[in-house]
Amino acid sequence: MNLSRVNTVTEFILLSFPCSRKIQVLLFILFSVTYILTLMGNGAIICAVTLDQRLHTPMYILLANFSFLEICYINTTVPNMLGNFLSEAKTLSFTACFLQFYFFFSMGITETFLLPLMAFDRYLAICRPLHYPTIMTNHLCMNLVAICWVTAFLCYPVPIYFITQLPFCGSNTIDHFVCDPGPLLALSCIPAPGIELSCSILSSLIIFITFFFIIGSYTLVLRAVLRVSSAAGRSKAFSTCGSHLVVVSLFYGTVMMMYISPNSGNPAGVQKIVTLIYSSVTPLVNPLIYSLRNKDMKAGLRKIQMYVKIGQSEWNK
């Protein structure tokens, strides 16, 4: 093979959703509205937890961190995707592509760590209620959250570094709206089975270990809930855990389809739809899932509305 043109690729073209100009504009409007609603919904949860002293508990601290993560998550992909809808070039520099790859994956791994932590918090609250206040303190909760973030951001630098060293000397067109490992590895001029296998193993370990931890936690929670004599108590526990399980199902179901094998051969259209679900749809519905069924969160959101009305009245004066 002639490697004289190795590393000549300086930018990538993200095809995103190739279609007519009118459809591109409609998609821009649709995803802009989705993006704004996601920011508003998750931002409202963060404000509610911050402003309402009653929500300064581990459960809501975790929820606020989760909402902050969702805001960061969509900001790694959606702004660039929106720009591509209105752009003719649809280009992204080599460095920007791999930075997006790094932060997109790091945020996703952080989510796979925060969801088990939230499941563990519910396990302690329901299965060990007497010991819960002394075990899961706010200080411990914040330390565990920090560990989740730091560990997640340390998982992928080495694999990404090795991918950047591959020779990209041919096509620079990625049939996706995000720099994803599958399409990137497909553009390499030489096969990289070692890198592909290592990415697949790393992703599988993270996904399956955290997923089975969540399943184990909620199995124990379910056993404990079924022993509760009070129907109201069972209903409250099922409501809280049910919300978490809906989020887990949405996130893990789509992620398993995509990243157990980076080059699994899924059609490009399927990859885009699946990626959209866990990167854009899930962050949008999470505030609805967590807030609409929670009385304390509803009270916190009403408190925000009250502050907004007071601020508007003061401004009008």
Side-chain angles (χ1 to χ4, degrees), residues 3 5 16 19 27 36 44 57 72 96 116 137-138 148 152 163 167 216 239 247 263 273 289 311-312 317:
L3 296 182
R5 297 179 60 216
S16 190
C19 51
L27 288 175
I36 292 170
T57 62
C72 296
T137 62
N138 287 359
C148 289
I163 295 175
S239 177
V247 174
N263 258 339
I273 292 172
I289 292 172
Q312 288 176 340
K317 292 179 182 179

mmCIF file of all heavy atoms in Angstrom, residues 3 5 16 19 27 36 44 57 72 96 116 137-138 148 152 163 167 216 239 247 263 273 289 311-312 317:
data_model
loop_
_atom_site.group_PDB
_atom_site.id
_atom_site.type_symbol
_atom_site.label_atom_id
_atom_site.label_comp_id
_atom_site.label_asym_id
_atom_site.label_seq_id
_atom_site.Cartn_x
_atom_site.Cartn_y
_atom_site.Cartn_z
ATOM 1 N N LEU A 3 1.660 4.631 1.284
ATOM 2 C CA LEU A 3 1.283 5.423 2.451
ATOM 3 C C LEU A 3 1.799 6.852 2.344
ATOM 4 O O LEU A 3 1.947 7.546 3.336
ATOM 5 C CB LEU A 3 1.841 4.765 3.727
ATOM 6 C CG LEU A 3 1.277 3.380 4.044
ATOM 7 C CD1 LEU A 3 1.869 2.870 5.351
ATOM 8 C CD2 LEU A 3 -0.229 3.375 4.112
ATOM 9 N N ARG A 5 0.328 9.348 1.286
ATOM 10 C CA ARG A 5 -0.712 10.335 1.616
ATOM 11 C C ARG A 5 -1.246 10.134 3.023
ATOM 12 O O ARG A 5 -2.298 10.618 3.384
ATOM 13 C CB ARG A 5 -1.864 10.235 0.614
ATOM 14 C CG ARG A 5 -1.475 10.569 -0.804
ATOM 15 C CD ARG A 5 -2.669 10.424 -1.731
ATOM 16 N NE ARG A 5 -3.755 11.318 -1.329
ATOM 17 C CZ ARG A 5 -5.041 11.009 -1.424
ATOM 18 N NH1 ARG A 5 -5.409 9.822 -1.865
ATOM 19 N NH2 ARG A 5 -5.962 11.871 -1.054
ATOM 20 N N SER A 16 -24.626 14.050 8.192
ATOM 21 C CA SER A 16 -25.815 14.253 9.024
ATOM 22 C C SER A 16 -27.017 13.569 8.376
ATOM 23 O O SER A 16 -27.010 12.362 8.176
ATOM 24 C CB SER A 16 -26.052 15.751 9.233
ATOM 25 O OG SER A 16 -27.043 15.967 10.202
ATOM 26 N N CYS A 19 -30.755 15.427 2.689
ATOM 27 C CA CYS A 19 -32.102 15.557 2.132
ATOM 28 C C CYS A 19 -32.211 16.933 1.491
ATOM 29 O O CYS A 19 -31.241 17.692 1.446
ATOM 30 C CB CYS A 19 -33.173 15.355 3.212
ATOM 31 S SG CYS A 19 -32.926 16.359 4.687
ATOM 32 N N LEU A 27 -35.874 20.235 9.750
ATOM 33 C CA LEU A 27 -35.132 19.494 10.776
ATOM 34 C C LEU A 27 -34.416 20.449 11.714
ATOM 35 O O LEU A 27 -34.356 20.206 12.929
ATOM 36 C CB LEU A 27 -34.126 18.549 10.112
ATOM 37 C CG LEU A 27 -34.702 17.326 9.399
ATOM 38 C CD1 LEU A 27 -33.603 16.551 8.681
ATOM 39 C CD2 LEU A 27 -35.418 16.410 10.391
ATOM 40 N N ILE A 36 -33.813 23.446 22.876
ATOM 41 C CA ILE A 36 -34.192 24.482 23.839
ATOM 42 C C ILE A 36 -35.018 23.875 24.972
ATOM 43 O O ILE A 36 -34.801 24.188 26.160
ATOM 44 C CB ILE A 36 -34.980 25.604 23.129
ATOM 45 C CG1 ILE A 36 -34.060 26.360 22.166
ATOM 46 C CG2 ILE A 36 -35.589 26.566 24.148
ATOM 47 C CD1 ILE A 36 -34.779 27.321 21.242
ATOM 48 N N ALA A 44 -34.316 23.609 34.724
ATOM 49 C CA ALA A 44 -35.331 23.820 35.767
ATOM 50 C C ALA A 44 -35.109 22.874 36.943
ATOM 51 O O ALA A 44 -35.268 23.267 38.112
ATOM 52 C CB ALA A 44 -36.722 23.623 35.183
ATOM 53 N N THR A 57 -30.987 16.680 49.351
ATOM 54 C CA THR A 57 -30.789 15.306 49.816
ATOM 55 C C THR A 57 -30.059 14.542 48.711
ATOM 56 O O THR A 57 -30.056 14.965 47.548
ATOM 57 C CB THR A 57 -32.137 14.630 50.114
ATOM 58 O OG1 THR A 57 -32.907 14.575 48.899
ATOM 59 C CG2 THR A 57 -32.921 15.405 51.178
ATOM 60 N N CYS A 72 -24.756 18.931 29.338
ATOM 61 C CA CYS A 72 -23.424 18.813 28.737
ATOM 62 C C CYS A 72 -23.434 17.833 27.570
ATOM 63 O O CYS A 72 -22.783 18.064 26.540
ATOM 64 C CB CYS A 72 -22.412 18.350 29.788
ATOM 65 S SG CYS A 72 -22.146 19.504 31.140
ATOM 66 N N ALA A 96 -11.309 18.941 16.039
ATOM 67 C CA ALA A 96 -12.654 19.120 16.593
ATOM 68 C C ALA A 96 -13.432 17.819 16.586
ATOM 69 O O ALA A 96 -14.205 17.524 17.507
ATOM 70 C CB ALA A 96 -13.401 20.189 15.804
ATOM 71 N N PRO A 116 -26.112 3.688 37.830
ATOM 72 C CA PRO A 116 -25.959 2.708 38.919
ATOM 73 C C PRO A 116 -25.885 3.366 40.298
ATOM 74 O O PRO A 116 -26.389 2.804 41.274
ATOM 75 C CB PRO A 116 -24.634 2.009 38.586
ATOM 76 C CG PRO A 116 -24.439 2.222 37.146
ATOM 77 C CD PRO A 116 -25.043 3.557 36.841
ATOM 78 N N THR A 137 -24.653 10.109 53.069
ATOM 79 C CA THR A 137 -24.669 11.521 53.434
ATOM 80 C C THR A 137 -24.451 12.376 52.185
ATOM 81 O O THR A 137 -24.005 11.885 51.142
ATOM 82 C CB THR A 137 -23.564 11.820 54.452
ATOM 83 O OG1 THR A 137 -22.285 11.538 53.850
ATOM 84 C CG2 THR A 137 -23.731 10.972 55.707
ATOM 85 N N ASN A 138 -24.761 13.656 52.291
ATOM 86 C CA ASN A 138 -24.541 14.555 51.164
ATOM 87 C C ASN A 138 -23.066 14.595 50.760
ATOM 88 O O ASN A 138 -22.736 14.673 49.572
ATOM 89 C CB ASN A 138 -25.027 15.962 51.510
ATOM 90 C CG ASN A 138 -26.545 16.062 51.524
ATOM 91 O OD1 ASN A 138 -27.245 15.080 51.261
ATOM 92 N ND2 ASN A 138 -27.052 17.236 51.821
ATOM 93 N N CYS A 148 -17.397 9.411 39.722
ATOM 94 C CA CYS A 148 -18.033 9.022 38.455
ATOM 95 C C CYS A 148 -17.533 9.893 37.308
ATOM 96 O O CYS A 148 -17.168 9.376 36.233
ATOM 97 C CB CYS A 148 -19.558 9.138 38.570
ATOM 98 S SG CYS A 148 -20.343 7.890 39.615
ATOM 99 N N ALA A 152 -14.917 8.469 34.420
ATOM 100 C CA ALA A 152 -15.456 8.415 33.054
ATOM 101 C C ALA A 152 -14.544 9.145 32.069
ATOM 102 O O ALA A 152 -14.319 8.675 30.949
ATOM 103 C CB ALA A 152 -16.855 9.022 33.028
ATOM 104 N N ILE A 163 -6.590 5.826 17.873
ATOM 105 C CA ILE A 163 -7.391 6.028 16.659
ATOM 106 C C ILE A 163 -6.882 7.239 15.880
ATOM 107 O O ILE A 163 -6.841 7.227 14.642
ATOM 108 C CB ILE A 163 -8.884 6.184 17.013
ATOM 109 C CG1 ILE A 163 -9.433 4.884 17.622
ATOM 110 C CG2 ILE A 163 -9.707 6.535 15.773
ATOM 111 C CD1 ILE A 163 -10.855 4.983 18.096
ATOM 112 N N PRO A 167 -3.857 6.022 9.830
ATOM 113 C CA PRO A 167 -3.723 6.823 8.609
ATOM 114 C C PRO A 167 -5.077 7.050 7.935
ATOM 115 O O PRO A 167 -5.685 6.127 7.408
ATOM 116 C CB PRO A 167 -2.816 5.957 7.727
ATOM 117 C CG PRO A 167 -3.059 4.558 8.183
ATOM 118 C CD PRO A 167 -3.376 4.631 9.646
ATOM 119 N N GLY A 216 -29.382 -5.786 39.495
ATOM 120 C CA GLY A 216 -29.272 -6.382 40.827
ATOM 121 C C GLY A 216 -29.848 -5.494 41.906
ATOM 122 O O GLY A 216 -30.571 -5.958 42.803
ATOM 123 N N SER A 239 -43.259 4.009 42.044
ATOM 124 C CA SER A 239 -43.251 5.208 41.214
ATOM 125 C C SER A 239 -41.837 5.723 41.008
ATOM 126 O O SER A 239 -41.419 6.028 39.888
ATOM 127 C CB SER A 239 -44.123 6.292 41.860
ATOM 128 O OG SER A 239 -44.064 7.482 41.109
ATOM 129 N N VAL A 247 -35.707 5.346 32.338
ATOM 130 C CA VAL A 247 -34.491 6.007 31.850
ATOM 131 C C VAL A 247 -33.423 4.969 31.516
ATOM 132 O O VAL A 247 -32.753 5.045 30.470
ATOM 133 C CB VAL A 247 -33.960 7.002 32.899
ATOM 134 C CG1 VAL A 247 -32.619 7.585 32.456
ATOM 135 C CG2 VAL A 247 -34.963 8.118 33.128
ATOM 136 N N ASN A 263 -18.084 -1.661 14.836
ATOM 137 C CA ASN A 263 -18.340 -1.860 13.410
ATOM 138 C C ASN A 263 -19.263 -3.047 13.198
ATOM 139 O O ASN A 263 -18.961 -3.981 12.475
ATOM 140 C CB ASN A 263 -17.029 -2.102 12.658
ATOM 141 C CG ASN A 263 -16.580 -0.860 11.918
ATOM 142 O OD1 ASN A 263 -17.367 0.024 11.648
ATOM 143 N ND2 ASN A 263 -15.302 -0.809 11.611
ATOM 144 N N ILE A 273 -30.541 6.976 13.893
ATOM 145 C CA ILE A 273 -31.767 6.979 14.694
ATOM 146 C C ILE A 273 -31.475 6.536 16.128
ATOM 147 O O ILE A 273 -31.933 7.165 17.095
ATOM 148 C CB ILE A 273 -32.826 6.061 14.053
ATOM 149 C CG1 ILE A 273 -33.296 6.650 12.728
ATOM 150 C CG2 ILE A 273 -34.020 5.863 14.997
ATOM 151 C CD1 ILE A 273 -34.192 5.736 11.917
ATOM 152 N N ILE A 289 -39.879 12.535 32.972
ATOM 153 C CA ILE A 289 -39.968 11.277 33.713
ATOM 154 C C ILE A 289 -39.730 11.509 35.200
ATOM 155 O O ILE A 289 -40.441 10.970 36.054
ATOM 156 C CB ILE A 289 -38.953 10.260 33.152
ATOM 157 C CG1 ILE A 289 -39.351 9.836 31.737
ATOM 158 C CG2 ILE A 289 -38.854 9.039 34.059
ATOM 159 C CD1 ILE A 289 -38.313 8.994 31.037
ATOM 160 N N GLY A 311 -39.609 38.261 40.280
ATOM 161 C CA GLY A 311 -38.608 38.991 39.505
ATOM 162 C C GLY A 311 -39.241 39.841 38.419
ATOM 163 O O GLY A 311 -38.810 40.981 38.175
ATOM 164 N N GLN A 312 -40.269 39.300 37.755
ATOM 165 C CA GLN A 312 -40.947 40.062 36.708
ATOM 166 C C GLN A 312 -41.660 41.292 37.278
ATOM 167 O O GLN A 312 -41.634 42.362 36.692
ATOM 168 C CB GLN A 312 -41.952 39.166 35.984
ATOM 169 C CG GLN A 312 -41.311 38.121 35.082
ATOM 170 C CD GLN A 312 -42.332 37.187 34.466
ATOM 171 O OE1 GLN A 312 -43.460 37.058 34.963
ATOM 172 N NE2 GLN A 312 -41.948 36.522 33.376
ATOM 173 N N LYS A 317 -41.639 47.272 37.929
ATOM 174 C CA LYS A 317 -41.636 48.494 38.747
ATOM 175 C C LYS A 317 -40.552 49.470 38.280
ATOM 176 O O LYS A 317 -40.656 50.661 38.392
ATOM 177 C CB LYS A 317 -41.432 48.153 40.215
ATOM 178 C CG LYS A 317 -42.612 47.413 40.840
ATOM 179 C CD LYS A 317 -42.316 47.092 42.296
ATOM 180 C CE LYS A 317 -43.463 46.317 42.931
ATOM 181 N NZ LYS A 317 -43.198 45.972 44.350
#
